């Protein structure tokens, strides 16, 4: 018996390509741009000028991944705020519920 993929291909999830080209280098503030989105994942490109930071918090239902492409970020991981410097081409994976804050250094 032959199986037709006609119906399946109409609802098959489609891959998408996104680019970091045009991502700004900032002298102040921050930029937050959605690069791709699906039902289970949002890919955001966030750029922080040196000195920008956020407050200690956790996302109870979302995992996060941060990549440093240029400069440096200091992450404070856990409620005890254990400091960890993250350099270019390094990243941080935060499971759902993990407390963190960071600032651009």
């Amino acid at each position: 018996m032959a199986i037709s993929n006609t119906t399946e291909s109409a609802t098959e999830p489609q891959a998408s390509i996104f680019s970091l080209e045009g991502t700004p280098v900032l002298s102040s503030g921050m930029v937050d741009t959605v690069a791709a989105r699906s039902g289970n994942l949002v890919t955001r490109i966030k750029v922080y000028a040196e000195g920008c930071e956020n407050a200690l918090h956790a996302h109870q239902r979302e995992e996060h991944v941060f990549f440093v492409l240029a400069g440096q970020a200091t992450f404070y991981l856990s409620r005890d705020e254990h400091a960890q410097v993250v350099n270019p081409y390094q990243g941080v994976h935060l499971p759902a519920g993990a407390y963190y804050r960071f600032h651009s250094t």
Side-chain angles (χ1 to χ4, degrees), residues 22-90:
T23 301
V25 175
L26 303 176
S27 58
S28 65
M30 62 91 64
V31 173
D32 181 355
T33 305
V34 174
R37 180 187 305 266
S38 70
N40 298 320
L41 177 70
V42 176
T43 302
R44 295 181 175 275
I45 309 303
K46 292 189 174 195
V47 180
Y48 289 78
E50 185 173 347
C52 282
E53 62 182 289
N54 61 10
L56 182 69
H57 67 286
H59 299 272
Q60 298 304 317
R61 293 182 173 87
E62 299 172 346
E63 294 191 44
H64 280 64
V65 173
F66 290 89
F67 292 104
V68 174
L69 298 177
Q72 185 178 73
T74 301
F75 279 81
Y76 299 89
L77 305 171
S78 79
R79 290 185 202 218
D80 296 335
E81 296 199 19
H82 168 73
Q84 180 68 48
V85 174
V86 181
N87 293 301
Y89 306 109
Q90 292 182 319

